[in-house]
Amino acid sequence: MAIEPTAFMTKMETRIGLTSEDKSILKSHADWGLANASTMADHFYTYLGRDEEMNAILNKSEGRIHRLHETFIQWFHQMFTGMDDWGKGYADCRWHIGLVHVKIGIGPQHVVPAMSVVVHEVGKQLRIDGKSEDLQDALGRICMIDLAFIEQAYVEVSSSAVLRETGWSEALFKRLIATGASSM
């Protein structure tokens, strides 16, 4: 059931509507993105740190929160640069980020609201700085693509683990999931 990151990226671009114009807008504001990345990281981790479970994960080891803050800055800036025009390198990086979220236990119930905080705070900063609504829209779309990678990582890791442990076929697993969802 494992995804191929580049194909997933292409599908998400189409599904979410990230255009070449959006990419141009993002690239033209890469300096703004880098200049505001640390502030956005502060909002993100302040929000997550208020949750007891997340605070424990974020501070599990010495220096983890600092490393995560630095990683967030890179991630945020990369949304503006696209790394390789939002190609294979970008897709592989986003897939890796999703897998790391799964590995360290940052669940969707934490990631989704935290991403909402980022989108909200970015919107406020964009208005303060007099940036265009087109930039906010483009940034919102790439944020949702990045969020889709994280969410898909949970699905893929969970599904793969169940299939490996049970020996079930993918078709049987999907049927059981659909049946289970229907009964809830």
Side-chain angles (χ1 to χ4, degrees):
M1 291 182 79
I3 68 163
E4 194 292 305
T6 305
F8 187 76
M9 180 73 192
T10 300
K11 181 184 285 187
M12 291 302 101
E13 284 184 35
T14 300
R15 188 169 284 163
I16 292 171
L18 185 73
T19 66
S20 58
E21 291 169 351
D22 291 328
K23 292 175 183 180
S24 293
I25 291 167
L26 289 167
K27 282 182 180 181
S28 70
H29 290 86
D31 290 342
W32 183 92
L34 183 58
N36 286 278
S38 183
T39 301
M40 294 307 130
D42 291 343
H43 290 299
F44 185 78
Y45 289 112
T46 296
Y47 170 80
L48 288 175
R50 291 192 307 251
D51 181 272
E52 185 178 325
E53 182 182 356
M54 274 308 308
N55 193 50
I57 291 170
L58 295 173
N59 293 289
K60 185 175 182 176
S61 62
E62 183 71 30
R64 178 183 260 182
I65 191 68
H66 175 73
R67 289 187 305 276
L68 290 170
H69 193 276
E70 293 303 311
T71 299
F72 182 99
I73 291 169
Q74 289 176 337
W75 164 78
F76 190 80
H77 187 234
Q78 288 169 352
M79 286 193 297
F80 289 86
T81 66
M83 296 170 60
D84 61 350
D85 201 32
W86 295 271
K88 180 176 175 17
Y90 189 90
D92 288 346
C93 178
R94 278 10 193 202
W95 181 240
H96 176 74
I97 288 170
L99 294 175
V100 169
H101 278 77
V102 174
K103 182 179 178 182
I104 67 173
I106 302 174
Q109 72 275 18
H110 297 109
V111 174
V112 173
M115 184 68 86
S116 175
V117 167
V118 171
V119 169
H120 176 74
E121 293 299 331
V122 164
K124 285 175 25 181
Q125 192 61 52
L126 288 167
R127 284 187 295 282
I128 289 167
D129 293 346
K131 298 295 183 184
S132 73
E133 193 172 305
D134 290 341
L135 175 57
Q136 184 170 357
D137 291 345
L139 191 53
R141 283 189 274 281
I142 195 63
C143 281
M144 292 306 103
I145 289 172
D146 283 14
L147 183 58
F149 269 100
I150 294 169
E151 294 287 308
Q152 194 63 34
Y154 283 96
V155 171
E156 298 293 329
V157 169
S158 300
S159 301
S160 177
V162 168
L163 293 176
R164 196 172 41 255
E165 290 296 318
T166 64
W168 294 343
S169 70
E170 188 175 329
L172 172 61
F173 181 69
K174 286 181 178 181
R175 190 170 68 246
L176 290 171
I177 296 296
T179 301
S182 295
S183 69
M184 294 185 109

